[in-house]
Amino acid sequence: MREIWIPELLSSLFVLVFLVRPLFKGLWPLDGIAWFPVLALGIALIIFPAYGFRPECIPLLLNHLAIVLMNLNPLFMGVSRNAGFHEQGALFTIPALGLLVLVSAVALWFAPAPQDAVNSRTFTLRGPERAGSPVYTLHVFDSRDSEDNPPSAADSSGVRPLIFLVPPDFGRLDAVDGICAALGERGVTVISYTRADLVSPGRLFSLWRAFRDGTRLKKANDAGRDLEAEKRAEIEFLLPYVTENLDSLAPAAAGAPLFLAGWGAGGSALAYLVSPSGSGGPAGTFAGSGSAVPPSTLYGVRGLIVVEGRFWSSRAAAPPESATASSGAFAARLSKFRNWFSRFRPERTGGLEALPQPLVPALYLVSSQDPDEDGGAYAAVFAALRNSGSSAALARVEGAGPLDYSDLPREYPLYNALLSGRPGGCAEDGVALIARFCELVAAGTPKTGTSSAFTGRLRLPGGLYLETRYWNFEDIQLY
C-alpha cells in the first residue's frame, strides 16, 4: 500500500461520515460529527508539507474546504442535534458524495508509485565568489559492488564511463536521481548536482512558458534563452571542478572516458559548449577554462547526451511585418489600424540560426508526440542532428511524452497524464539507451559513414525509432 493513501483515505472517510449522517438516525445524536470536515481539511493540508507539492490532492483539498465553508453556522452557533442537518435531502447529499468519490479517486489513482531509496555520496561546494553565490551539492552515483553489479557499460579495458549530468529544469535532481542510480548499477559513474536555492512561483512560470511556447513566441523564447545561459554558467563553474577533483569525488572514475548529459536547457547548453568556437548560440568560449577551446578538447569529452533539449537559443527573431502601401483614405486608415493592432499581438520567433555542431558523438532523446521535423518543437533538434560535426543519433520511444525519460511519471503521474505520456514513463528505456551509447562510444564501435550525406532511419523492436547521422548505429536497441 502506498503510504500517502493513508491520509487521503482518512480525510475522505471523515467527510463521508459527515455527508451520510442525515441518512442514519443513529448518527444524529453524535454532535461531534459536525467537526469531521474540519479534521478532514487539516489532514489534507498536512499532506503537502509531509509529501511535498502533490497536484492530485488539490481537488481533494478544495472539496474539503468547500464543505467546511458551507457548514460554518453549526460550528459558530454551537453544535446542536437540532441544527437541521438531518433535513438535508438527496439534492445535496448525492452530488456531494459523487464529488467526494471523484476527488478521492483522482488523489488515489495519481498517487506516486513506491520508490526505492536512492543513495549517493555528496560533497558541498560554494559557487563563484560574488554576492549571493549559490551553494552546490555534488552527488556521486555508482555501484562499488562490482561482483553483484558487473560494469556492463565498461569498455574493453574494464574502465567505467563517467557522466557529468546536468539535472532537468523542473524537478531538479529529484527528477532523475533514480536514473542516475540505475546508470550506476549498469557500470556508469554519474556525478550531478543540486543548488541550495528556492524555486519561486515566478521561476516556475518562466519554466512552463519556455516549455510551452519557447519555440513559437519571443518572450517565452527569451525565458528559455535565460535558462540556457544559467545552465551554461553552472556548467562552466562545475565541470572544471569535477574533472580536477575526480580523485576525491570518484576515485574509481579517474581516467575514465567522460560523457556529458543534460535534460532540457542543460542539454542545450552542453551541446553549444562542445561545439566549435564561433558556431553561434550561447557558446563561443568556455569561460571555466579561460580559453576558446571547447571542453570536448580541453577535458577529453567522449560523448554528449541531450534529453528533451529544445535549443531555444537557436531561434531567430521574427522579421518585422512590412507595412503595405495603401491608396485611398479608407485603405490608409485600415492599414494604420492594422499596424496599431499588430503591436498588441505576441511577437513570434523566426527561423533557425546558430545551431550547435557538437564535435563529439551525440545522442538526442525526444518524445514522440511532435514528429514535425521542420516546424515542430523539435525542429532545432532535427536540424542539429543533420548539422552535426560528428556522428550523432536521435532516438524516440513510441508513445513517450516530454517527461517520460525521467522519474517524474512515477513520482507525479498526474503531470504525465496531462502531457499524454506513457503510464509509468520509459525511464528504463532511457537508461538502457544512455548506457548502451556510452558503451559503444567508449569501445569505439560507432562507425562514421564515408559520405557526408549518410543518414539512416530505423525502427527497432521495442518501439524505438532511430535516426542516425554519419553513424552505423544499428546495434543499439532497448534491452
Side-chain angles (χ1 to χ4, degrees):
M1 180 177 180
R2 300 174 185 179
E3 183 183 347
I4 196 174
W5 282 355
I6 297 175
E8 291 172 349
L9 288 171
L10 189 59
S11 67
S12 297
L13 179 61
F14 278 123
V15 174
L16 175 65
V17 174
F18 173 80
L19 292 177
V20 300
R21 184 187 181 194
L23 306 179
F24 300 92
K25 290 186 177 181
L27 298 177
W28 291 5
L30 304 178
D31 295 336
I33 293 178
W35 290 94
F36 277 19
V38 178
L39 293 175
L41 179 62
I43 295 172
L45 286 170
I46 291 173
I47 289 176
F48 291 88
Y51 296 94
F53 180 70
R54 301 305 315 174
E56 71 275 4
C57 292
I58 292 179
L60 188 76
L61 178 68
L62 295 177
N63 178 71
H64 296 352
L65 177 62
I67 292 178
V68 169
L69 295 177
M70 292 172 60
N71 294 274
L72 287 178
N73 283 341
L75 297 179
F76 283 104
M77 297 176 62
V79 178
S80 170
R81 66 186 60 182
N82 296 320
F85 66 87
H86 53 277
E87 297 178 359
Q88 294 177 351
L91 189 62
F92 168 79
T93 302
I94 294 178
L97 286 173
L99 186 59
L100 175 64
V101 171
L102 178 62
V103 298
S104 300
V106 170
L108 295 171
W109 181 262
F110 292 108
Q115 302 290 322
D116 296 331
V118 175
N119 298 317
S120 63
R121 289 175 284 122
T122 59
F123 303 84
T124 302
L125 173 66
R126 181 167 291 278
E129 292 298 331
R130 61 175 182 267
S133 60
V135 175
Y136 296 96
T137 300
L138 296 176
H139 297 254
V140 180
F141 301 83
D142 57 15
S143 176
R144 296 192 171 189
D145 188 354
S146 59
E147 293 182 359
D148 294 338
N149 299 285
S152 59
D155 63 12
S156 57
S157 65
V159 177
R160 300 165 60 97
L162 168 65
I163 294 180
F164 174 76
L165 188 146
V166 182
D169 315 312
F170 179 76
R172 301 301 180 96
L173 186 58
D174 292 341
V176 291
D177 56 356
I179 289 177
C180 294
L183 285 169
E185 296 301 318
R186 285 178 174 264
V188 180
T189 299
V190 180
I191 299 180
S192 190
Y193 63 91
T194 54
R195 275 181 57 173
D197 56 356
L198 297 178
V199 178
S200 65
R203 178 178 175 82
L204 290 175
F205 176 73
S206 295
L207 287 172
W208 170 248
R209 182 170 60 172
F211 170 77
R212 186 186 60 181
D213 296 321
T215 59
R216 299 186 302 109
L217 303 181
K218 184 179 182 302
K219 284 189 176 181
N221 181 263
D222 289 341
R225 287 172 178 262
D226 291 341
L227 289 171
E228 291 177 351
E230 177 186 283
K231 292 296 184 182
R232 181 189 61 188
E234 293 177 352
I235 297 164
E236 289 174 344
F237 171 70
L238 291 171
L239 181 57
Y241 179 87
V242 167
T243 56
E244 293 168 7
N245 294 273
L246 265 182
D247 289 338
S248 58
L249 295 173
L258 174 62
F259 293 82
L260 304 179
W263 269 249
S268 299
L270 286 171
Y272 283 110
L273 285 172
V274 297
S275 297
S277 177
S279 65
T285 62
F286 187 57
S289 65
S291 167
V293 179
S296 56
T297 302
L298 188 66
Y299 297 107
V301 175
R302 297 287 299 278
L304 168 72
I305 300 106
V306 179
V307 185
E308 288 297 324
R310 302 294 178 94
F311 298 122
W312 289 304
S313 296
S314 67
R315 293 280 177 171
E321 296 183 3
S322 57
T324 56
S326 303
S327 59
F330 176 76
R333 290 187 179 183
L334 181 60
S335 176
K336 184 178 180 180
F337 173 76
R338 288 175 176 171
N339 292 335
W340 173 83
F341 184 74
S342 65
R343 293 184 299 174
F344 298 95
R345 289 185 298 182
E347 190 175 353
R348 303 184 70 85
T349 60
L352 299 175
E353 64 176 9
L355 290 166
Q357 295 178 297
L359 298 175
V360 296
L363 172 64
Y364 303 99
L365 293 181
V366 300
S367 76
S368 63
Q369 299 182 358
D370 192 350
D372 188 352
E373 300 181 10
D374 298 319
Y378 300 112
V381 183
F382 281 97
L385 171 72
R386 293 155 191 169
N387 193 51
S388 179
S390 180
S391 52
L394 185 146
R396 55 187 177 93
V397 178
E398 186 174 10
L403 301 180
D404 280 0
Y405 302 110
S406 71
D407 299 325
L408 290 176
R410 292 176 59 83
E411 297 177 7
Y412 294 93
L414 181 59
Y415 288 153
N416 204 45
L418 293 175
L419 293 173
S420 303
R422 295 201 330 183
C426 53
E428 295 83 0
D429 296 338
V431 169
L433 286 168
I434 293 172
R436 181 63 173 155
F437 171 78
C438 293
E439 180 182 1
L440 290 173
V441 174
T445 301
K447 299 177 176 61
T448 59
T450 56
S451 168
S452 60
F454 176 81
T455 299
R457 292 186 179 184
L458 303 170
R459 186 184 188 281
L460 301 177
L464 174 64
Y465 294 84
L466 196 69
E467 181 170 341
T468 61
R469 178 72 168 173
Y470 305 154
W471 201 339
N472 178 13
F473 209 173
E474 295 185 14
D475 51 353
I476 190 169
Q477 55 186 303
L478 301 182
Y479 66 98

